[in-house]
mmCIF file of all heavy atoms in Angstrom:
data_model
loop_
_atom_site.group_PDB
_atom_site.id
_atom_site.type_symbol
_atom_site.label_atom_id
_atom_site.label_comp_id
_atom_site.label_asym_id
_atom_site.label_seq_id
_atom_site.Cartn_x
_atom_site.Cartn_y
_atom_site.Cartn_z
ATOM 1 N N GLY M 72 127.303 -29.059 -80.551
ATOM 2 C CA GLY M 72 127.914 -28.257 -79.495
ATOM 3 C C GLY M 72 128.180 -29.076 -78.243
ATOM 4 O O GLY M 72 128.906 -28.626 -77.352
ATOM 5 N N ASP M 73 127.621 -30.265 -78.178
ATOM 6 C CA ASP M 73 127.729 -31.118 -76.999
ATOM 7 C C ASP M 73 129.147 -31.713 -76.900
ATOM 8 O O ASP M 73 129.611 -32.377 -77.831
ATOM 9 C CB ASP M 73 126.687 -32.239 -77.103
ATOM 10 C CG ASP M 73 126.739 -33.159 -75.901
ATOM 11 O OD1 ASP M 73 126.236 -32.758 -74.843
ATOM 12 O OD2 ASP M 73 127.317 -34.268 -76.030
ATOM 13 N N ALA M 74 129.795 -31.457 -75.752
ATOM 14 C CA ALA M 74 131.208 -31.850 -75.614
ATOM 15 C C ALA M 74 131.391 -33.366 -75.705
ATOM 16 O O ALA M 74 132.352 -33.839 -76.325
ATOM 17 C CB ALA M 74 131.760 -31.318 -74.292
ATOM 18 N N ALA M 75 130.472 -34.116 -75.119
ATOM 19 C CA ALA M 75 130.614 -35.580 -75.137
ATOM 20 C C ALA M 75 130.468 -36.117 -76.567
ATOM 21 O O ALA M 75 131.194 -37.029 -76.979
ATOM 22 C CB ALA M 75 129.576 -36.213 -74.218
ATOM 23 N N LEU M 76 129.545 -35.530 -77.309
ATOM 24 C CA LEU M 76 129.344 -35.972 -78.693
ATOM 25 C C LEU M 76 130.551 -35.597 -79.565
ATOM 26 O O LEU M 76 130.989 -36.392 -80.418
ATOM 27 C CB LEU M 76 128.044 -35.367 -79.239
ATOM 28 C CG LEU M 76 127.509 -35.905 -80.560
ATOM 29 C CD1 LEU M 76 127.451 -37.429 -80.582
ATOM 30 C CD2 LEU M 76 126.133 -35.310 -80.848
ATOM 31 N N LYS M 77 131.103 -34.408 -79.328
ATOM 32 C CA LYS M 77 132.314 -34.013 -80.072
ATOM 33 C C LYS M 77 133.459 -34.976 -79.763
ATOM 34 O O LYS M 77 134.206 -35.374 -80.668
ATOM 35 C CB LYS M 77 132.711 -32.571 -79.738
ATOM 36 C CG LYS M 77 131.821 -31.528 -80.388
ATOM 37 C CD LYS M 77 132.366 -30.118 -80.205
ATOM 38 C CE LYS M 77 132.254 -29.650 -78.788
ATOM 39 N NZ LYS M 77 132.861 -28.340 -78.545
ATOM 40 N N ALA M 78 133.577 -35.370 -78.498
ATOM 41 C CA ALA M 78 134.649 -36.316 -78.117
ATOM 42 C C ALA M 78 134.440 -37.659 -78.793
ATOM 43 O O ALA M 78 135.399 -38.295 -79.254
ATOM 44 C CB ALA M 78 134.684 -36.466 -76.599
ATOM 45 N N GLN M 79 133.179 -38.079 -78.882
ATOM 46 C CA GLN M 79 132.862 -39.356 -79.548
ATOM 47 C C GLN M 79 133.213 -39.276 -81.041
ATOM 48 O O GLN M 79 133.806 -40.212 -81.598
ATOM 49 C CB GLN M 79 131.368 -39.644 -79.351
ATOM 50 C CG GLN M 79 130.947 -41.038 -79.752
ATOM 51 C CD GLN M 79 129.427 -41.233 -79.640
ATOM 52 O OE1 GLN M 79 128.730 -40.443 -78.982
ATOM 53 N NE2 GLN M 79 128.925 -42.260 -80.285
ATOM 54 N N LEU M 80 132.882 -38.147 -81.663
ATOM 55 C CA LEU M 80 133.215 -37.970 -83.084
ATOM 56 C C LEU M 80 134.721 -37.944 -83.289
ATOM 57 O O LEU M 80 135.239 -38.537 -84.239
ATOM 58 C CB LEU M 80 132.637 -36.645 -83.599
ATOM 59 C CG LEU M 80 131.159 -36.600 -83.907
ATOM 60 C CD1 LEU M 80 130.794 -35.225 -84.435
ATOM 61 C CD2 LEU M 80 130.788 -37.670 -84.941
ATOM 62 N N ARG M 81 135.416 -37.259 -82.382
ATOM 63 C CA ARG M 81 136.876 -37.172 -82.524
ATOM 64 C C ARG M 81 137.503 -38.562 -82.422
ATOM 65 O O ARG M 81 138.368 -38.916 -83.240
ATOM 66 C CB ARG M 81 137.460 -36.232 -81.460
ATOM 67 C CG ARG M 81 138.965 -36.186 -81.539
ATOM 68 C CD ARG M 81 139.591 -35.222 -80.566
ATOM 69 N NE ARG M 81 141.034 -35.459 -80.504
ATOM 70 C CZ ARG M 81 141.855 -34.892 -79.661
ATOM 71 N NH1 ARG M 81 141.393 -34.018 -78.773
ATOM 72 N NH2 ARG M 81 143.129 -35.181 -79.688
ATOM 73 N N ALA M 82 137.046 -39.351 -81.449
ATOM 74 C CA ALA M 82 137.607 -40.700 -81.277
ATOM 75 C C ALA M 82 137.367 -41.539 -82.535
ATOM 76 O O ALA M 82 138.278 -42.227 -83.021
ATOM 77 C CB ALA M 82 136.996 -41.365 -80.051
ATOM 78 N N ALA M 83 136.154 -41.446 -83.087
ATOM 79 C CA ALA M 83 135.835 -42.236 -84.284
ATOM 80 C C ALA M 83 136.631 -41.726 -85.487
ATOM 81 O O ALA M 83 137.144 -42.519 -86.289
ATOM 82 C CB ALA M 83 134.334 -42.171 -84.563
ATOM 83 N N ALA M 84 136.752 -40.400 -85.625
ATOM 84 C CA ALA M 84 137.506 -39.832 -86.749
ATOM 85 C C ALA M 84 138.974 -40.222 -86.646
ATOM 86 O O ALA M 84 139.598 -40.599 -87.646
ATOM 87 C CB ALA M 84 137.361 -38.311 -86.771
ATOM 88 N N GLU M 85 139.519 -40.147 -85.451
ATOM 89 C CA GLU M 85 140.950 -40.462 -85.284
ATOM 90 C C GLU M 85 141.232 -41.940 -85.569
ATOM 91 O O GLU M 85 142.293 -42.279 -86.099
ATOM 92 C CB GLU M 85 141.426 -40.045 -83.896
ATOM 93 C CG GLU M 85 141.504 -38.525 -83.772
ATOM 94 C CD GLU M 85 142.041 -38.035 -82.440
ATOM 95 O OE1 GLU M 85 141.944 -38.782 -81.438
ATOM 96 O OE2 GLU M 85 142.544 -36.888 -82.402
#
Side-chain angles (χ1 to χ4, degrees):
D73 180 77
L76 191 49
K77 285 189 290 176
Q79 191 185 343
L80 282 182
R81 177 177 168 187
E85 289 183 336

